[in-house]
Amino acid sequence: MSVHLLRGAFLLAVAAVFGFNALHLKIGSPAKPGPGLFPLIVSCALGLAALGMMTEGRRELTEPNTFVLKNIALITIAMMGFTIIAHWSVIPAIVFLVFVSSLAGSNYSVVRCIKISAVLIAFAAAFRFGLGVNLRWWW
Amino acid sequence: MIDILNNLSMGFGHALTTSNLLYCLLGCSIGTLIGLLPGMGPLATISLLLPLTFKLPLDGSLIMLAGIYYGAQYGDNVSAITMKMPHAASIVACIDGYQMTLNGRAGLALFAAGVSSFIGGTVAIVVLSTVAEPLAHVSLLFGPADYCALMVLGFFCVSYVSTGGSVLSGFAMSLLGVLLGQIGTDINTGDQRFTFGQDALVDGIGLISIALGCFGIAEIAKNLDAKSGFTPFSGKIDLRPTWGEFKRIIPSALRGSVVGSFLGLIPGGGPTMAQFGAYAVEKKFSKYSAEIGQGAIEGVSGQAAADEAAARTSFIPLMSIGIPENAVMALMMAVFIMKGIQPGPGMIQKNPTLFWTLVTSMWVGNVFLLIVNVPLVRYLLSIFRIPFANLFPAILFFCCVGTFSHQNNLDEIYVTAAFGVIGYTLLRLRLEAAPLMLGFILGPMLEEYFRRALTINRGDFTVFIKSPISGTIFGLIAVFIVVNIAMNLRKPKQVAASAAAASASEH
């Protein structure tokens, strides 16, 4: 399928979500616009642009790039795990982030992960104690 | 003229004291160092280092913060050029700067960015000190409808530049950015919009979350997909240009300085729009316009000069009319107020010493950037001469800390992670994130002016055409759209094979 068709469909879906939600807000009148008027207008404009892109897709047959789920999924899991664990302590959070995100790399090394974790913990200490960033250090 | 010279001499008298010189040097150096770290743009850097200035005297704290700002901007440019890790302030630096790095000319790109920043900053300070007040009055002539037109023009400029001529997808991304900027609480009515019942969205989405997600994280995933053993700073970094290369820097830096100085003055403009404006100008007027986009010096120097010039002149709306035009200026405004100074009409008259000290310290900061930071960057960069496999977990960590430090809220990292997925999807659909960023930054302001224009004119939509300034701008946009459609219709049908080949070479 052409990339133009795909991205047109994607943006049309986004425009529909925002547009329908805007309809649930107070639209008001042009003289006294409510909170829904502006997003509704922008959603309509986005929808039109998306339709335009889909029309372009009929002329241009460019394929989309390959979507590799594994790497982005590992990165997302690593960040979400970091956030959950950092509520208690940033040290195990860093270790989790490094060990999980490194799985996305081409070659995995436990020793390397330990070294990176140690360096990042030192950075976290500098942020925490040097710059006063409110990272939770201990449980 | 004599008055200006007297004021400048008074300013230098204060800026060149040992303590203020030290604050300026410290600000520039720490700003560059922190700004160099991937994930730390000027906004995150200033937020992070703000506590350092709390106990300093008024002029010292403002000088140091300004130094941090410029230092972080240069550092941010460096991370954009070498690793394609930009923030709002360095999106354009990625285009040709990163290409120059890929071509093995990272040193030249960094040198061009440093020298152009100096030229841009110097020109902007001349503008600031000579025509600050008249230009501030000009910006007051803009009505709400004119601001709207100016912002829509900005979207088209960004779309044209970032998508290489296909305006439709870029403009759609700007609109998507505007819609994302609507998420949160409506400031006029207090109604919640598009929060989908999530508390984390009540205050809206943070700029840092979108910037780090769409650029930083999406870029990491893309590099990992490519399984490239890409090392950002491999190879020798030679900062010395040839005479021929140096000669190419000056004209584009001067053009960028003029564009940046002008766009920095206009609320809604500022460094982001200035970079895109300067890049478009280079594409149009440079002798080497054919090379732009493929690693041309002009593509780096024009935007760097505009970026720096706009960063300085963007102080004018803040100090003369009390309107912060971007998040960094809003932070600066907060510091002014914390120190007992109310930015706005009358501030320059009431605090001339502070104003002129700040103006002259900007130039002193420029000198520090040029003679200390630019040569120093090659040594700082050597810290990062490590393989991508070692680097990317660290970048992720800095992205997390950068997001967290903005509002001391860990939950914002979820939003950043979500935008990482969205950014990656956009990347795979070949949709540019730069127009989305601009739409997101300008969206709330666009809505505010749109609603104000309609309210003042009792709901009459023709105000956007009747006003001479906005009418002219919208007219130009209409001509631009018609020309673009006509050019697209003439394009021959592409075959899948050639497109796939082009795509393979890009990614």
Side-chain angles (χ1 to χ4, degrees), chain B residues 251-272:
Chain B
S252 56
L254 287 172
R255 281 191 291 267
S257 306
V258 174
V259 172
S261 298
F262 175 69
L263 288 176
L265 279 170
I266 299 164
T272 311

Side-chain angles (χ1 to χ4, degrees), chain B residues 157-382:
Chain B
C157 285
V158 173
S159 308
Y160 184 74
V161 170
S162 60
T163 57
S166 166
V167 178
L168 193 58
S169 66
F171 188 64
M173 291 303 286
S174 303
L175 294 175
L176 178 58
V178 172
L179 285 174
L180 291 172
Q182 305 296 302
I183 294 173
T185 308
D186 176 34
I187 51 163
N188 291 309
T189 59
D191 290 359
Q192 285 183 19
R193 297 190 292 192
F194 315 113
T195 55
F196 307 105
Q198 300 296 314
D199 289 343
L201 296 177
V202 170
D203 288 333
I205 300 168
L207 173 66
I208 288 179
S209 294
I210 292 201
L212 292 178
C214 289
F215 290 100
I217 294 163
E219 187 65 25
I220 290 171
K222 193 189 99 180
N223 280 334
L224 288 170
D225 288 356
K227 289 190 168 41
S228 61
F230 175 57
T231 306
F233 308 109
S234 58
K236 195 180 168 191
I237 292 170
D238 188 1
L239 287 167
R240 292 166 302 177
T242 61
W243 176 241
E245 288 166 341
F246 188 75
K247 277 199 298 187
R248 285 177 62 172
I249 295 173
I250 308 295
S252 56
L254 287 172
R255 281 191 291 267
S257 306
V258 174
V259 172
S261 298
F262 175 69
L263 288 176
L265 279 170
I266 299 164
T272 311
M273 195 185 276
Q275 289 172 59
F276 285 105
Y279 195 78
V281 165
E282 285 308 307
K283 219 170 177 179
K284 184 80 190 162
F285 296 106
S286 171
K287 221 162 68 175
Y288 303 92
S289 57
E291 291 176 30
I292 288 179
Q294 293 154 14
I297 298 173
E298 289 75 9
V300 175
S301 54
Q303 64 81 29
D307 189 31
E308 198 71 13
R312 273 145 173 83
T313 54
S314 62
F315 274 92
I316 293 175
L318 175 68
M319 293 199 280
S320 57
I321 51 178
I323 296 177
E325 60 180 49
N326 53 41
V328 174
M329 284 302 123
L331 260 180
M332 288 288 180
M333 187 173 183
V335 177
F336 273 104
I337 293 168
M338 270 193 295
K339 295 284 182 184
I341 304 284
Q342 180 62 50
M347 185 204 136
I348 300 172
Q349 285 76 21
K350 283 181 199 163
N351 305 282
T353 314
L354 176 70
F355 174 77
W356 289 103
T357 306
L358 196 57
V359 169
T360 48
S361 77
M362 287 176 184
W363 193 78
V364 175
N366 253 78
V367 175
F368 280 139
L369 274 180
L370 190 68
I371 62 172
V372 180
N373 288 22
V374 174
L376 204 67
V377 148
R378 60 196 298 183
Y379 300 106
L380 292 172
L381 285 178
S382 62

Side-chain angles (χ1 to χ4, degrees), chain A residues 3 7 14 18 30-31 35 38 46 59-60 62-63 65-66 68 71 76 79 83-84 101 112 133-134, chain B residues 48 172 176 186 191 193-194 217 225 390 392 404 410 413-414 424 428-430 447 454 488 491 494 503:
Chain A
V3 72
R7 60 195 195 184
V14 174
F18 276 95
F38 182 74
L46 178 61
R59 289 167 42 81
E60 298 189 17
T62 317
E63 291 289 325
N65 293 312
T66 322
V68 183
N71 293 334
T76 309
M79 289 181 74
T83 313
I84 293 166
S101 64
R112 191 179 62 207
V133 177
N134 199 19
Chain B
L48 207 64
L176 178 58
D186 176 34
D191 290 359
R193 297 190 292 192
F194 315 113
I217 294 163
D225 288 356
N390 294 4
F392 82 85
F404 167 73
L410 276 171
I413 300 174
Y414 292 127
Y424 179 75
R428 287 305 170 207
L429 290 173
R430 297 195 198 137
E447 183 192 11
L454 284 181
N488 273 344
K491 267 202 300 192
Q494 282 181 297
S503 136

